[in-house]
Amino acid sequence: MIIGSHVSFGEEQLLGSIKEAISYNANALMFYTGAPQNTIRKELKNDLLDEAKTLALSSNIDFNNIVCHAPYIINLANKSQADKWDFSINFLINELNRCKFLGVNKIVVHPGSSVGITQEEGLDNIVEALRIILSKTSDVDILIETMAGKGNECGRNIDQVKYIIDNVNNDRLNVCVDTCHINDAGYDVAKFDEYLDEFDKKIGIDKIKCIHLNDSKNEMNSHKDRHENIGFGTIGFNSLYNVLINKRLENIPKILETPYITVTEKIKKPPYKEEISMLKSGNFNSDVFKDIYNI
Ligand code: FE
Ligand code: FE
Ligand code: ZN
């Protein structure tokens, strides 16, 4: 089982991220190199990275199971404001270089939002942007994420993802499947093998390099994108557990991006240690957070 969660990337950079993952008993992790909402990035430190590599090795964390996520504000779909599109491209080139420096070989990117243009135009802009980014970088894969189809989001179904993958046509372009997003996009996670069959037929299952394992606050086909804790949403524990143990995806990291638990108005706690423990055991406990935090 390769399972982990979103972790922070603070003063200790990747070393801190790995320490946090270990505290959740995870063997995979995903981080943003700065705040997910902005593009301010600090300089990466060599000594911290050496320590991070040593710690990962002694803790059985394979760097193939460490994933970076690009900030949300990057939008490759919209070219109407050319300076913003150029900024997104240049930011991602730098971000891929930061990943390469860190020894991280995967970065998840949201395809983008086609505001004020058609989805087809948006998809073509994404293809063009990805071609530029991939041509100016090396070693790091871009994983485009399957989206919920909120607003004008591109990548809302397998066909749109296929369009991007086929037209970019690069081994370094792969896919991250998010269970909350596909549920909200209209796919039934309870029938995940049917989703994989369609994905395999149209794109090829070997293109899936990461799974975001999230429950959803909303019904299938709601196009909302609001994540819920594992077992507490509309997808439910059993379906998510079946994604985790699916033999066809055995060797790829499963990453939790579920919301923090609100203990009091000011105190929020990460749910990941408990969620990972439940997923490893295969047993759901609906009182797990109540019992720990007295809520
Ligand atoms: Fe994402
Ligand atoms: Fe996600
Ligand atoms: Zn999401």
Side-chain angles (χ1 to χ4, degrees):
M1 237 176 232
I2 304 171
I3 184 161
S5 70
H6 159 71
V7 293
S8 56
F9 186 90
E11 286 304 314
E12 289 194 310
Q13 302 187 343
L14 196 55
L15 174 63
S17 307
I18 292 171
K19 284 180 182 172
E20 187 179 338
I22 291 168
S23 79
Y24 304 145
N25 299 316
N27 57 359
L29 53 135
M30 182 177 80
F31 66 95
Y32 292 77
T33 62
Q37 308 86 356
N38 69 46
T39 50
I40 302 160
R41 294 295 179 263
K42 281 188 181 160
E43 207 186 310
L44 297 170
K45 298 199 183 92
N46 242 321
D47 50 334
L48 287 172
L49 181 57
D50 289 342
E51 254 191 90
K53 285 178 176 165
T54 308
L55 181 62
L57 200 64
S58 64
S59 314
N60 276 319
I61 294 175
D62 186 331
F63 264 66
N64 287 312
N65 299 325
I66 303 181
V67 183
C68 182
H69 196 309
Y72 313 139
I73 55 159
I74 291 298
N75 189 3
L76 302 178
N78 208 324
K79 243 173 129 176
S80 53
Q81 284 171 288
D83 53 334
K84 281 193 184 167
W85 192 70
D86 288 340
F87 177 84
S88 290
I89 289 173
N90 288 324
F91 178 84
L92 277 179
I93 291 171
N94 288 329
E95 197 76 338
L96 262 78
N97 288 332
R98 273 193 286 273
C99 287
K100 186 174 171 176
F101 174 84
L102 291 169
V104 169
N105 58 24
K106 292 175 198 60
I107 180 167
V108 175
V109 177
H110 294 181
S113 219
S114 58
V115 187
I117 53 174
T118 66
Q119 288 257 283
E120 289 72 22
E121 288 170 315
L123 289 168
D124 284 331
N125 292 337
I126 292 164
V127 167
E128 191 182 341
L130 288 170
R131 282 177 169 239
I132 297 169
I133 297 161
L134 288 162
S135 74
K136 293 187 175 176
T137 53
S138 64
D139 300 305
V140 180
D141 283 12
I142 294 176
L143 313 187
I144 48 168
E145 184 164 352
T146 60
M147 301 310 289
K150 184 171 141 188
N152 300 294
E153 273 174 353
C154 296
R156 58 179 64 215
N157 56 44
I158 291 176
D159 292 300
Q160 288 195 350
V161 173
K162 176 183 169 58
Y163 184 88
I164 299 169
I165 295 287
D166 285 355
N167 285 285
V168 176
N169 188 25
N170 188 308
D171 287 347
R172 282 173 50 226
L173 186 65
N174 289 291
V175 181
C176 171
V177 174
D178 186 311
T179 55
C180 168
H181 296 177
I182 63 170
N183 170 78
D184 290 17
Y187 296 98
D188 188 354
V189 180
K191 298 174 181 159
F192 192 62
D193 268 302
E194 286 178 20
Y195 176 84
L196 288 182
D197 288 341
E198 184 184 341
F199 193 102
D200 194 33
K201 205 173 83 190
K202 292 180 171 169
I203 301 174
I205 199 170
D206 53 314
K207 284 292 209 183
I208 302 175
K209 300 288 188 192
C210 181
I211 296 284
H212 284 170
L213 199 66
N214 302 306
D215 215 325
S216 174
K217 284 193 197 298
N218 294 100
E219 296 299 324
M220 206 192 302
N221 212 17
S222 60
H223 302 292
K224 287 269 173 53
D225 188 6
R226 292 191 64 212
H227 302 188
E228 181 55 283
N229 292 105
I230 300 295
F232 291 89
T234 59
I235 301 173
F237 186 85
N238 288 337
S239 294
L240 293 166
Y241 178 69
N242 285 331
V243 172
L244 173 67
I245 62 167
N246 193 301
K247 283 271 177 256
R248 300 159 84 182
L249 303 168
E250 206 173 10
N251 298 318
I252 65 159
K254 322 293 183 311
I255 302 290
L256 304 166
E257 305 173 288
T258 49
Y260 272 41
I261 304 298
T262 304
V263 180
T264 67
E265 210 179 303
K266 280 185 180 154
I267 302 173
K268 292 190 194 300
K269 295 283 189 186
Y272 306 123
K273 187 178 177 195
E274 289 73 31
E275 289 182 337
I276 288 171
S277 158
M278 289 192 291
L279 285 164
K280 281 183 178 171
S281 71
N283 295 311
F284 179 55
N285 169 11
S286 60
D287 290 328
V288 62
F289 299 117
K290 267 191 206 154
D291 292 348
I292 295 173
Y293 299 119
N294 270 317
I295 46 173

